[in-house]
Every structure is written in structure tokens, then in C-alpha cells.
Amino acid sequence: MDKQSEHARQWIVKARSDLLNADNNLAAKEVPYDTVCFHCQQAAEKLLKGYLVARGCEYPLTHNLFVVLEKILELDATADSLREPLALLNPYSVEVRYPGDAWMPSPEDATEARQAAQEVFDWTRSKLERLFD
């Protein structure tokens, strides 16, 4: 595997760890819903940045998923299908991480975040299948 592909694959491995963290927490007796939502956002961010790396592009240094998406749309218009899941996940990058910020996610929020992250995973996998093995 060439260096670029290996670097992209590392992003995917990290994203999978975030998804595993979310899944493990969702299965726990006491669920930290904010943590689940944060890790779902992180998984999406890493998947999108991994896509850019795989395509030989630099990724923007931001947690804003829409900034990353705009860069991807320059390469692949089908990424527009990710707008809805990214809109759901984008607030979880910062807003749930600190006390006093916006709100505490509910069980339904966490379930929706996990589903949204899966949509990003599935789209990325459909584009970079060889890196997911």
C-alpha cells in the first residue's frame, strides 16, 4: 500500500475506534450520551478527512464538518447526500464537550448521531472500499 493510502487508512482506523467507543457506550448500563454524540461527530470528521487524504488533498484544520464537505464536493458531487447527517453531527464537535454549553443530548439524540455517523461511514466506504479491508 502506498504512503498516501496508508495515511488515509489510518484515518479510517481512528474513525472506527470512535464508532466502537460510541457503540460500547450505547451498550453500557449508564450511557454518557454526550460522549456518544461527540465520538459520532469525530468518526464522521475522520472519515471525511481520510477521504480527502486518499484523494491526495489536504484537509482543512477544522472540526466544522461543512467546511470539510465543501472541499469534498469539489471532487465528488455525490457527497451532497451527506448534508443531513452532517447537520445532525456538526454541533457535537464542541457544544457538548464542556459544562455550561448548549445542552445535554438525550438517548434519542445519541441514537440519531450513531445513525448519522453510519451514513458517513457507508458513503466513505463506498468510495474507498479498498481501504476498509
Side-chain angles (χ1 to χ4, degrees):
M1 185 176 288
D2 63 74
K3 189 175 180 177
Q4 177 179 311
S5 294
E6 178 56 28
H7 187 211
R9 192 187 68 72
Q10 290 172 5
W11 278 96
I12 293 164
V13 167
K14 288 297 217 174
R16 282 182 153 160
S17 291
D18 281 309
L19 293 174
L20 180 60
N21 188 305
D23 291 341
N24 288 344
N25 276 303
L26 283 170
K29 184 176 179 180
E30 291 185 42
V31 180
Y33 298 110
D34 57 335
T35 299
V36 170
C37 293
F38 171 71
H39 281 286
C40 289
Q41 185 280 338
Q42 285 291 286
E45 181 179 329
K46 290 168 186 165
L47 288 162
L48 297 178
K49 289 178 178 179
Y51 174 85
L52 288 171
V53 169
R55 296 290 306 267
C57 299
E58 300 223 2
Y59 52 86
L61 298 176
T62 182
H63 297 299
N64 186 322
L65 299 175
F66 288 106
V67 173
V68 183
L69 177 63
E70 289 306 316
K71 184 116 173 135
I72 292 172
L73 286 170
E74 295 171 10
L75 305 168
D76 189 333
T78 69
D80 196 59
S81 67
L82 297 175
R83 286 191 186 278
E84 189 173 324
L86 296 183
L88 191 139
L89 293 168
N90 207 44
Y92 298 128
S93 66
V94 177
E95 293 180 25
V96 298
R97 290 174 53 191
Y98 303 104
D101 284 348
W103 78 100
M104 180 60 75
S106 68
E108 294 78 20
D109 293 330
T111 299
E112 288 178 351
R114 183 57 182 90
Q115 290 168 346
Q118 189 64 46
E119 289 181 52
V120 178
F121 181 90
D122 293 344
W123 182 88
T124 309
R125 185 176 192 157
S126 76
K127 302 299 179 176
L128 305 174
E129 186 72 39
R130 63 186 168 75
L131 300 178
F132 280 74
D133 296 330

